[in-house]
Amino acid sequence: MPDTPATTSVTDYEVLVVGAGFSGLYLLHRLRAEGHRVHVVEQAPEVGGTWYWNRYPGARCDVESVDYSYSWDNDLQQEWDWTEKYPAQGDILAYLKHVADRFDLRKDIDFDTTLTGAEWDESQGLWTATAADGRVYRARYLLMAVGCLSVPKDIDLPGFDNFEGRVLRTYDWPEGEHLTGQRVGVVGTGSTGAQVIPALAETVGDLTVVQRTPNFVIPTRNRPLHDGELEGIKADYPDRRVRNRTHAAGVFRNDNPKNAFEVDAEERRSTFQERWEGGGINFLGSFADLMFDQAANDAVAEFVHTKIDEIVDDPETAGSLKPKSYPLGAKRPVVATDYYETYNRDNVHLVDVKKRPLDTFTEKGFRLADGTEYELDTMVLATGFDAFTGPFTKMDIRGTEGRSLAETWNRDGAKTHLGLGTAGFPNMIIVASVGSPSVLANMVTAIEQHVEWISRLLDTMREEGYTTIEAQEPAQEAWVQTVEDVAAMTLWPNGDSGSWYRGANIDGKVQIFMPYAAGIVEYGNAIDKSAANNYEGFTLS
Ligand code: N01
């Protein structure tokens, strides 16, 4: 813990929530309504979390607008008018600002407040958290609503410090920057890269894309909601929300119950084609066994390969864009608009660094091992995140007997019981991150499930006179094994995907499958069962 300036005042709360994104806002609203003394700290100057920071051109969610929104207030869902099938970053941010105003949440949020550390005081059963400016908060419960993808990965590009041009990260993109007319390089072809590349191609002079591993990119097929469509959805909202909560993915998907090889080749092709035309994540519901059977996955991969050949004019570029070393889905599937089409533009060039290795960045751009030099005005980094653990390990969090969370997780991997608590850190509750469905579901549904469970927990503790809850080590080990076992039933761990799902995108990070892959229904059963059995796997005292 950093020293606290002598003049700093200490503020006491029952619940301190870290983060004012989808999780933090709902926690504040719900817990406050239930009479808890709750306060939120947020490092940004505004609400929104992920949707505040990721303002890069083309940023858009791949869950439908009407589902990527809170379900807990019918007036809210009736009065808010989404305009497009998939929401742009600005639309989601506008929605969250509206929620903050409508429910008078801002008065209990400290903005521009970055917590640097938090220490558990065993004798008093309280957390003491310190902000970068020295302010100190004391609270019985520390709720970590910090997001899964909120700390960018460190730059690990050879000689990057040599580059004297401008460097922009998609993660904290300057509002309204389009790099018009410039020579721009982009590193990264994940979900972010696949959105920013087509958008920048429209405005920059010249765009050079540095690709290490290609992704399977499914067309979004975004469109305005047509006349009467939103009204129909609003009328159906109660049932729609139930359908979302009873689907593993936290959003209803019309999944085909058939396996890929139960049908003949023509039906397989036409099913893929129909889902491809429909666009979006529904493509993954083409057949039931795509994520379980290698042959089924090979069939869908081959379908995407033929699409790339059909769309991309230059055969060499098309070849580089085809993922071949991991199953579709082992890396988070990418949904984007005009991604493959963008490579037919004269001002866009793909540099496949698996085929033509990168030597180093230079003052003016970068050089390949074969001596080819690229000169650029601006480098855009869409290189991903220190997923799940980053926001925890960058803080100095100290639990029982001064145990460091960063040291523990960096050594053993991020272990939790039911994704809600971790042994040695009493009353620190994790919201929709490691060990729970989180990113493998509609995040908003997963968040609501967690917030509602946490609110029941805090009510129970208050009513029954408990003041601390802590995950038990054996239960935690068992849950970590369950999470691994579930992932092992799928094709997710296969191939060389280097996925952030298991920390493989960061050199030296302990690899452990972090999201729970069996979906929110199974997960809901597990956490409800624990609660019904006096919070089995946790110690309440
Ligand atoms: O990050 P990523 P992201 N040299 O880690 C490359 C969500 N999201 O920000 O694969 C060269 O997926 C790296 O290459 P490789 C969504 O859950 C959702 O794009 O490691 N390349 C990869 O291409 C998503 O999965 C939406 O070989 C380097 C890229 O950078 C998650 O956020 C939109 C490199 C990183 O891809 C993260 O996506 C946006 C290096 N040294 C994001 N280091 C939607 O809802 C990294 N790379 C639509």
Side-chain angles (χ1 to χ4, degrees):
M1 287 281 288
D3 288 339
T4 305
T7 52
T8 304
S9 66
V10 177
T11 321
D12 285 289
Y13 299 100
E14 182 194 354
V15 181
L16 184 67
V17 177
V18 189
F22 267 102
S23 313
L25 293 180
Y26 184 29
L27 278 167
L28 171 56
H29 172 69
R30 175 121 186 173
L31 298 182
R32 197 174 67 180
E34 285 166 1
H36 297 282
R37 263 174 43 75
V38 49
H39 198 76
V40 178
V41 287
E42 165 57 57
Q43 61 179 336
E46 182 48 276
V47 299
T50 282
W51 300 105
Y52 170 80
W53 293 105
N54 286 271
R55 290 176 297 252
Y56 58 85
R60 189 177 290 282
C61 183
D62 58 10
V63 176
E64 290 188 36
S65 313
V66 292
D67 299 314
Y68 199 78
S69 54
Y70 293 124
S71 70
W72 42 263
D73 188 283
N74 192 44
D75 291 344
L76 172 66
Q77 66 191 11
Q78 294 301 331
E79 76 199 13
W80 186 260
D81 290 336
W82 296 103
T83 55
E84 292 183 279
K85 182 168 181 184
Y86 296 99
Q89 169 268 336
D91 295 336
I92 304 173
L93 185 57
Y95 169 76
L96 289 174
K97 285 180 176 177
H98 168 75
V99 170
D101 293 333
R102 192 186 186 292
F103 296 96
D104 199 14
L105 300 178
R106 292 178 191 277
K107 68 177 183 203
D108 290 316
I109 305 174
D110 286 356
F111 292 103
D112 294 309
T113 304
T114 304
L115 289 192
T116 52
E119 191 168 24
W120 174 247
D121 178 340
E122 221 162 335
S123 61
Q124 300 199 55
L126 293 174
W127 281 98
T128 305
T130 311
D133 62 6
R135 269 174 297 161
V136 174
Y137 300 84
R138 236 181 356 224
R140 186 162 300 287
Y141 301 101
L142 183 67
L143 305 193
M144 299 297 284
V146 289
C148 301
L149 297 156
S150 43
V151 173
K153 187 181 109 143
D154 288 343
I155 297 172
D156 58 358
L157 297 157
F160 196 72
D161 286 346
N162 297 331
F163 182 59
E164 291 180 349
R166 191 170 175 210
V167 177
L168 290 183
R169 303 192 71 140
T170 47
Y171 168 67
D172 55 359
W173 192 268
E175 186 90 57
E177 178 61 80
H178 294 285
L179 304 175
T180 308
Q182 293 189 22
R183 297 168 304 172
V184 175
V186 176
V187 184
T189 53
S191 295
T192 304
Q195 290 187 324
V196 81
I197 289 164
L200 284 178
E202 302 271 341
T203 55
V204 304
D206 196 79
L207 188 68
T208 303
V209 177
V210 177
Q211 174 195 275
R212 188 165 64 184
T213 314
N215 267 285
F216 292 93
V217 184
I218 300 154
T220 315
R221 314 261 187 236
N222 184 39
R223 58 171 176 76
L225 292 174
H226 38 67
D227 278 354
E229 190 176 2
L230 188 61
E231 289 67 25
I233 290 167
K234 284 184 178 180
D236 181 45
Y237 247 140
D239 289 343
R240 187 176 182 107
R241 299 298 195 183
V242 171
R243 288 197 295 277
N244 287 349
R245 282 174 175 236
T246 47
H247 190 287
V251 61
F252 180 73
R253 241 177 32 196
N254 191 12
D255 292 339
N256 185 353
K258 291 183 190 167
N259 288 335
F261 285 91
E262 252 179 83
V263 303
D264 62 21
E266 179 44 32
E267 185 175 336
R268 221 169 17 254
R269 199 205 61 79
S270 63
T271 305
F272 288 141
Q273 179 65 26
E274 198 180 304
R275 299 249 172 181
W276 181 266
E277 306 268 327
I281 282 290
N282 264 334
F283 182 70
L284 299 181
S286 304
F287 291 100
D289 56 348
L290 293 188
M291 284 317 303
F292 301 98
D293 179 63
Q294 188 61 52
N297 200 285
D298 290 344
V300 72
E302 195 190 318
F303 176 84
V304 178
H305 291 171
T306 60
K307 287 290 157 199
I308 296 170
D309 280 332
E310 278 169 34
I311 297 168
V312 180
D313 296 340
D314 174 44
E316 198 185 328
T317 305
S320 287
L321 289 168
K322 291 179 196 167
K324 294 202 168 143
S325 58
Y326 61 92
L328 184 151
K331 264 181 180 320
R332 161 65 151 83
V334 174
V335 179
T337 298
D338 288 342
Y339 180 67
Y340 293 127
E341 289 81 351
T342 294
Y343 291 96
N344 293 334
R345 297 177 65 111
D346 291 339
N347 69 335
V348 177
H349 323 281
L350 182 69
V351 177
D352 177 348
V353 293
K354 281 255 169 80
K355 283 191 189 148
R356 299 170 67 204
L358 184 73
D359 174 17
T360 184
F361 276 81
T362 61
E363 282 173 29
K364 293 189 168 168
F366 64 88
R367 187 172 58 233
L368 301 182
D370 64 13
T372 314
E373 301 259 1
Y374 291 81
E375 290 196 3
L376 304 161
D377 303 309
T378 300
M379 274 308 307
V380 172
L381 300 184
T383 44
F385 296 87
D386 183 0
F388 300 104
T389 56
F392 292 88
T393 55
K394 81 170 187 181
M395 279 174 66
D396 185 10
I397 300 178
R398 303 270 165 179
T400 337
E401 293 166 1
R403 185 194 300 202
S404 153
L405 184 70
E407 278 171 31
T408 309
W409 281 12
N410 288 340
R411 186 189 58 233
D412 304 338
K415 297 185 175 179
T416 71
H417 180 46
L418 293 172
L420 285 153
T422 183
F425 298 85
N427 289 9
M428 184 185 87
I429 301 174
I430 299 165
V431 191
S433 175
V434 55
S436 71
S438 60
V439 295
L440 295 181
N442 173 1
M443 272 305 286
V444 183
T445 318
I447 284 167
E448 291 188 345
Q449 183 180 49
H450 255 191
V451 171
E452 285 152 23
W453 191 91
I454 291 165
S455 105
R456 283 197 303 276
L457 167 74
L458 296 195
D459 286 349
T460 306
M461 292 189 60
R462 185 170 54 185
E463 281 157 23
E464 300 189 8
Y466 292 115
T467 53
T468 58
I469 175 166
E470 182 181 351
Q472 295 165 359
E473 200 114 31
Q476 173 169 296
E477 288 301 324
W479 181 248
V480 169
Q481 193 56 50
T482 301
V483 173
E484 282 287 348
D485 291 347
V486 171
M489 288 180 218
T490 72
L491 299 175
W492 268 310
N494 292 22
D496 71 343
S497 73
S499 174
W500 53 265
Y501 288 162
R502 55 183 317 116
N505 64 328
I506 308 259
D507 277 349
K509 187 161 171 173
V510 175
Q511 291 198 28
I512 181 166
F513 200 86
M514 287 181 274
Y516 174 66
I520 66 156
V521 179
E522 287 286 324
Y523 178 72
N525 293 338
I527 59 176
D528 288 348
K529 185 170 161 231
S530 163
N533 290 320
N534 201 26
Y535 294 94
E536 191 177 5
F538 297 93
T539 303
L540 268 56
S541 52

